[in-house]
């Protein structure tokens, strides 16, 4: 059993590395070399400490573990409160795993202001770890916003020719959504006088009207982070202009902050609003999957193609989360972890050839399998994982999401499944043009295969991708109790939903995701029954036709609770 504050130690250990970096003196070459070593050792030690914490993590419990609580603003009942459960611990591990990989990937490509670059990455790691560990809303918001600053600097200082434009676009998009989330946090505090996430997630008296406004405010922030269509346009620019390591951490961790926010805050705190807005999220997710896949097909820049593919894959994540089924949420979580590794590895693959030829244009390559066979093999593994080949991590997440969404809507599932086909099309087309073909360009022919350092970077990522594909239960089982707790929240709220709806005094349209052609019920019945699937309404209609109106509504509500929450 761990008796010391391990979460705070893991979160703020990178700041110790920052202090050490600030003390480094000497000529430019000496400072650069010592800065790289200091940052790498700090990040490796942080990763080792997070693994030690995971070894002592109880995977059978859905409660927060390693909880730390200190009075931060005692007069306002705002605390420094940290803790992890089966959902957040994997994102914490993902962050500590990718940070040393990013530092290794920048070993030779970053030659200017190396010390400042390493400081930015260690600051970014602290903010990411704090965000995934915080279980107080104000603390969560501080870390959530703090991520913007080092990422803005990394893109704006060490990025490409249009780095300033891309960094400001990234900053403004994400900041605008976050301001709305801050207003929602203030509204919650003003109403319930607490910012404790666990306490706010137990509230059952919040009216639907208030839930909808707060849900939209949080949605504005998380949708930009995911990013969802149509607020995704900052991502391709940020990826193209960011240095390779910046793209790795952006795709691997920062995009997961939106999905994590939905699971940690939106679903448990605003359950009725979540059900109300399910059709909206389903529609935006399916559009993202199909539209960005089609856009990826016509890209000539490798980074931009992978950036659009990230939007498509994250569309599966939001689709799975809002199915509100066990399989869908399991699949969304697994997809986020898989995408965090696979997309990061694909950006690293682009970085390998960019460091040699200094271009990302697909047409400039071809025939690399002849002079870079090891690279071709590694690229193929991650490309197949991105496509969703059985036996790789990409297959498990997409399969579970589609299984979960099929229980809710066959139509949306069929549309989302086309993204799998389109994903195979653009990834195979990319691989064909880069790896196969004639090796007839002299500069491409002179490129050497991956180095020992690059091999060390890719080896653990290949192992993880195959391990997650072959033995997914090693990830699904520890996160299961925490996901089940989210599902239970919907059941418990359903038992007192009547009082909340009466207090809200609004009519709630029925969420008809079962059959598009099902006949819409009357408005008063929709307000009582909320988001009851169409198939259920039809099966209930015949035996209850001659019942009095009050009994009919009461019967419908009981039946709805039984059916909606027994999918798994």
């Amino acid at each position: 059993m761990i008796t010391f504050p391990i979460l705070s130690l893991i979160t703020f250990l990178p700041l110790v590395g920052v202090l050490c970096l600030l003390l480094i003196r000497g000529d430019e070459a000496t400072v650069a070399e010592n800065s790289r070593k200091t940052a790498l050792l700090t990040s490796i030690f942080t990763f080792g400490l997070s693994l030690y914490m995971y070894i002592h993590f109880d995977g059978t419990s859905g409660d927060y573990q390693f909880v730390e609580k200190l009075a931060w603003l005692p007069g306002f009942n705002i605390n420094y409160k940290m803790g992890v459960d089966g959902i957040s611990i994997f994102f914490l591990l993902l962050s500590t795993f990718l940070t040393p990989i990013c530092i290794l990937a920048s070993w030779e490509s970053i030659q200017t202001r190396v010390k400042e670059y390493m400081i930015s990455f260690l600051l970014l790691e602290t903010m990411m770890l704090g965000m995934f560990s915080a279980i107080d809303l104000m603390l969560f918001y501080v870390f959530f916003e703090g991520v913007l600053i080092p990422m803005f600097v990394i893109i704006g200082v060490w990025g490409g020719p249009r780095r300033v434009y891309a960094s400001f676009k990234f900053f403004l998009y994400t900041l605008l959504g976050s301001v709305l989330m801050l207003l929602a946090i203030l509204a919650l505090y003003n109403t319930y006088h607490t910012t404790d996430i666990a306490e706010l997630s137990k509230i059952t008296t919040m009216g639907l009207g208030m839930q909808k406004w707060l849900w939209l405010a949080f949605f504005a922030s998380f949708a930009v982070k995911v990013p969802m269509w149509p607020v995704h346009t900052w991502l391709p620019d940020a990826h193209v202009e960011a240095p390779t390591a910046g793209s790795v951490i952006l795709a691997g961790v920062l995009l997961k902050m939106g999905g994590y926010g939905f699971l940690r805050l939106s679903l448990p705190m605003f359950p009725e609003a979540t059900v109300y807005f399910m059709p909206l999220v389903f529609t935006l997710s399916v559009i993202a999957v199909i539209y960005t896949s089609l856009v990826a097909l016509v890209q000539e820049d490798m980074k931009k193609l992978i950036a659009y593919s990230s939007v498509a894959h994250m569309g599966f994540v939001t689709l799975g989360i809002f199915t509100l089924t066990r399989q869908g949420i399991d699949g969304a979580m697994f997809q986020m972890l898989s995408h965090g590794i696979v997309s990061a590895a694909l950006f690293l693959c682009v970085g390998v050839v960019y460091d040699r030829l200094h271009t990302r244009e697909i047409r400039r390559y071809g025939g690399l399998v002849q002079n870079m066979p090891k690279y071709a093999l590694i690229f193929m593994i991650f490309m197949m994982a991105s496509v969703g080949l059985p036996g790789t991590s990409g297959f498990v997440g997409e399969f579970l999401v589609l299984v979960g969404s099929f229980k809710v809507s066959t139509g949306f599932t069929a549309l989302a499944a086309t993204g799998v086909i389109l994903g195979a099309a653009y990834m195979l087309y990319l691989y064909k043009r880069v790896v196969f073909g004639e090796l007839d360009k002299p500069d491409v022919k002179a490129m050497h295969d991956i180095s020992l350092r690059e091999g060390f970077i890719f080896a653990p990522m290949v192992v993880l991708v195959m391990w997650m594909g072959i033995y997914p239960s090693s990830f699904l089982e520890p996160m299961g109790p925490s996901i089940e707790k989210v599902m239970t929240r919907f059941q418990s709220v359903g038992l007192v939903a009547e009082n909340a709806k009466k207090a809200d005094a609004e009519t709630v349209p029925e969420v008809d995701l079962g059959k598009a052609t099902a006949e819409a019920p009357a408005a008063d019945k929709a307000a009582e029954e909320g988001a009851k699937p169409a198939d259920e309404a039809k099966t209930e209609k015949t035996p209850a036709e001659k019942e009095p109106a009050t009994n009919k509504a009461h019967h419908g509500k009981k039946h709805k609770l039984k059916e909606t929450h027994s999918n798994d």
Side-chain angles (χ1 to χ4, degrees):
M1 183 179 178
I2 297 177
T3 56
F4 59 94
I6 189 169
L7 273 176
S8 293
L9 184 59
I10 292 172
T11 300
F12 296 108
L13 183 59
L15 294 185
V16 177
V18 169
L19 293 176
C20 294
L21 287 169
L22 291 173
L23 298 175
I24 295 176
R25 296 290 185 270
D27 60 83
E28 186 177 352
T30 302
V31 170
E33 186 66 20
N34 290 335
S35 297
R36 293 185 184 101
K37 292 177 180 178
T38 302
L40 181 61
L41 288 174
T42 303
S43 61
I44 290 175
F45 192 69
T46 304
F47 176 57
L49 200 58
S50 65
L51 284 179
Y52 175 76
M53 180 184 68
Y54 181 69
I55 291 172
H56 291 81
F57 179 79
D58 182 7
T60 62
S61 172
D63 297 326
Y64 289 113
Q65 301 178 42
F66 314 112
V67 176
E68 305 166 18
K69 184 177 181 180
L70 293 172
W72 185 18
L73 299 172
F76 298 93
N77 193 28
I78 297 175
N79 301 300
Y80 169 86
K81 190 174 182 182
M82 308 275 273
V84 291
D85 62 357
I87 295 174
S88 56
I89 194 168
F90 284 107
F91 292 112
L92 189 142
L93 286 169
L94 182 64
S95 303
T96 58
F97 172 72
L98 288 179
T99 302
I101 286 177
C102 289
I103 292 171
L104 271 175
S106 309
W107 206 264
E108 296 179 358
S109 58
I110 301 298
Q111 297 294 331
T112 58
R113 299 179 179 177
V114 177
K115 182 168 78 171
E116 291 81 0
Y117 180 85
M118 297 302 171
I119 288 174
S120 298
F121 256 97
L122 292 180
L123 284 173
L124 180 61
E125 183 177 23
T126 286
M127 296 301 170
M128 293 187 300
L129 297 177
M131 196 274 300
F132 290 126
S133 303
I135 50 177
D136 181 274
L137 266 181
M138 287 306 300
L139 188 63
F140 174 88
Y141 184 79
V142 168
F143 285 120
F144 189 86
E145 288 301 288
V147 169
L148 294 180
I149 300 172
M151 196 67 217
F152 172 80
V153 173
I154 289 170
I155 298 173
V157 176
W158 292 277
R162 299 174 70 245
R163 59 185 180 273
V164 175
Y165 167 78
S167 60
F168 272 94
K169 190 174 183 180
F170 160 73
F171 190 87
L172 292 174
Y173 262 75
T174 51
L175 181 64
L176 178 61
S178 299
V179 169
L180 296 175
M181 182 172 72
L182 177 60
L183 294 176
I185 292 173
L186 294 176
L188 282 168
Y189 176 78
N190 186 59
T191 305
Y192 299 103
H193 309 292
T194 182
T195 54
D196 190 297
I197 293 175
E199 292 181 15
L200 291 171
S201 298
K202 296 176 183 177
I203 293 172
T204 58
T205 57
M206 190 185 304
L208 180 59
M210 183 177 183
Q211 281 195 37
K212 287 193 289 187
W213 285 110
L214 295 177
W215 187 95
L216 286 172
F218 278 90
F219 178 76
S221 180
F222 299 147
V224 172
K225 286 286 189 185
V226 169
M228 297 180 69
W229 182 91
V231 290
H232 68 285
T233 55
W234 63 269
L235 184 66
D237 291 319
H239 271 310
V240 168
E241 300 304 325
T244 298
S247 293
V248 168
I249 210 71
L250 179 61
V253 180
L254 267 60
L255 300 191
K256 312 305 174 289
M257 291 167 60
Y260 174 76
F262 285 135
L263 287 171
R264 175 62 71 232
L265 303 177
S266 297
L267 266 65
M269 290 200 302
F270 318 119
E272 290 184 89
T274 296
V275 174
Y276 182 88
F277 286 111
M278 277 173 63
L280 171 66
V281 178
F282 273 38
T283 302
L284 295 180
S285 300
V286 168
I287 292 175
V289 169
I290 298 174
Y291 170 74
T292 55
S293 295
L294 292 173
V295 174
L297 275 170
V298 299
Q299 297 304 313
E300 292 297 329
D301 184 298
M302 285 192 283
K303 259 194 171 185
K304 189 169 283 190
L305 186 151
I306 298 171
Y308 278 110
S309 77
S310 293
V311 180
H313 283 103
M314 292 305 292
F316 277 99
V317 170
T318 51
L319 181 69
I321 290 174
F322 284 87
T323 61
L324 306 182
T325 63
R326 178 62 186 275
Q327 291 91 344
I329 298 178
D330 275 351
M333 268 294 299
F334 202 92
Q335 177 76 348
M336 282 193 280
L337 296 176
S338 171
H339 181 263
I341 298 168
V342 174
S343 65
L346 288 173
F347 280 113
L348 286 170
C349 288
V350 175
V352 167
V353 293
Y354 180 80
D355 290 342
R356 289 156 173 76
L357 205 58
H358 302 291
T359 181
R360 294 182 300 269
E361 292 185 37
I362 299 173
R363 62 181 179 83
R364 286 285 288 111
Y365 295 93
L368 288 182
V369 69
Q370 300 178 43
N371 60 330
M372 298 179 69
K374 295 178 185 176
Y375 171 80
L377 175 62
I378 291 171
F379 192 9
M380 182 193 71
I381 292 173
F382 295 121
M383 182 270 297
M384 290 298 183
S386 178
V387 168
L389 183 74
T392 64
S393 59
F395 170 76
V396 179
E398 290 184 356
F399 177 76
L400 287 173
V401 166
L402 292 175
V403 169
S405 65
F406 188 82
K407 291 185 173 184
V408 181
S409 171
T410 55
F412 279 115
T413 304
L415 290 172
T418 61
V420 178
I421 301 170
L422 292 172
Y426 60 69
M427 289 307 300
L428 290 171
Y429 190 40
L430 168 66
Y431 191 78
K432 173 182 177 294
R433 288 183 289 173
V434 171
V435 174
F436 296 121
E438 293 295 329
L439 187 61
D440 53 1
K441 301 178 181 70
D443 50 357
V444 177
K445 189 179 295 186
M447 291 167 61
H448 58 85
D449 211 345
I450 61 172
S451 64
L452 185 62
R453 174 182 61 86
E454 292 164 340
F456 275 122
I457 292 173
F458 285 118
M461 304 181 84
V462 170
V463 171
L464 270 176
V465 166
M466 303 305 293
W467 178 23
M468 292 177 71
I470 296 172
Y471 189 33
S473 61
S474 58
F475 291 84
L476 293 172
E477 288 179 1
M479 68 178 71
S482 298
I483 293 175
E484 192 62 38
K485 194 172 182 180
V486 175
M487 302 295 299
T488 304
R489 166 65 172 160
F490 281 85
Q491 296 172 348
S492 62
V493 169
L495 298 176
V496 293
E498 184 175 0
N499 293 333
K501 288 174 184 176
K502 286 181 180 178
D504 189 69
E506 288 193 19
T507 298
V508 186
E510 183 181 45
V511 179
D512 183 5
L513 295 177
K515 293 185 178 179
T517 58
E519 182 179 348
D524 57 342
K525 183 177 178 181
E528 287 293 322
E529 295 182 357
K532 182 163 59 177
D535 287 343
E536 182 185 328
K538 290 179 72 176
T539 56
E540 181 185 349
K541 187 175 181 180
T542 301
E545 278 180 340
K546 297 182 181 179
E547 291 182 17
T550 54
N551 293 339
K552 186 175 179 181
H554 179 69
H555 173 75
K557 179 173 293 183
K558 290 176 65 178
H559 188 66
K560 170 201 166 188
L561 291 174
K562 180 179 178 182
E563 290 293 320
T564 303
H565 305 294
S566 61
N567 285 334
D568 301 313

